[in-house]
Amino acid sequence: VQLVESGGGLVQPGGSLRLSCAASGFTFVWYDMTWYRQAPGKERELVAAISSAGRSTNYADSVKGRFTASRDNAKNTVYLQMNSLKPEDTAVYFCNARRPFVGDYWGQGTQVTVSS
């Protein structure tokens, strides 16, 4: 089982990034996918979640209207489009795959730094 995040980097405030999380080794379409982030000295927090079929999403209040989660089940990939980035969005971003009553998997994370 693998979840591999990519797309992180350094961006100026107001900029955009698109994170990807490529899944392998399990039946991706059966799993809800969630993006989390963890800033230095802070607890990991939920950023965005998308249901297994992609029909429903929910977001942390801090990113609503700026971030969009999507998935391509044919490519076993989930995305996080991040617009209007702020310095407080700086964190390591992780993707998580979860199937109720079965378990979950985590990626290794990708660093996002928002700074001028």
Side-chain angles (χ1 to χ4, degrees):
V1 172
Q2 270 198 316
L3 290 172
V4 180
E5 299 98 334
S6 61
L10 174 64
V11 63
Q12 292 187 341
S16 297
L17 282 175
R18 188 194 196 203
L19 305 184
S20 300
C21 173
S24 61
F26 63 99
T27 306
F28 181 74
V29 70
W30 291 351
Y31 284 71
D32 299 326
M33 298 298 296
T34 304
W35 287 97
Y36 290 82
R37 67 186 180 188
Q38 188 166 19
K42 295 188 176 181
E43 292 187 355
R44 192 170 295 189
E45 63 174 350
L46 185 149
V47 176
I50 184 165
S51 62
S52 56
R55 292 194 182 99
S56 66
T57 55
N58 65 76
Y59 299 92
D61 287 343
S62 59
V63 307
K64 280 180 182 175
R66 300 188 298 123
F67 290 12
T68 303
S70 61
R71 65 191 293 163
D72 185 337
N73 285 345
K75 296 182 178 180
N76 287 359
T77 302
V78 63
Y79 305 97
L80 185 66
Q81 178 67 44
M82 305 187 296
N83 298 328
S84 302
L85 283 160
K86 304 175 180 180
E88 51 264 43
D89 295 318
T90 295
V92 178
Y93 285 70
F94 300 87
C95 67
N96 171 273
R98 181 175 180 274
R99 188 179 182 196
F101 310 110
V102 173
D104 65 343
Y105 309 115
W106 288 90
Q108 83 290 346
T110 186
Q111 176 71 47
V112 172
T113 303
V114 184
S115 175
S116 55

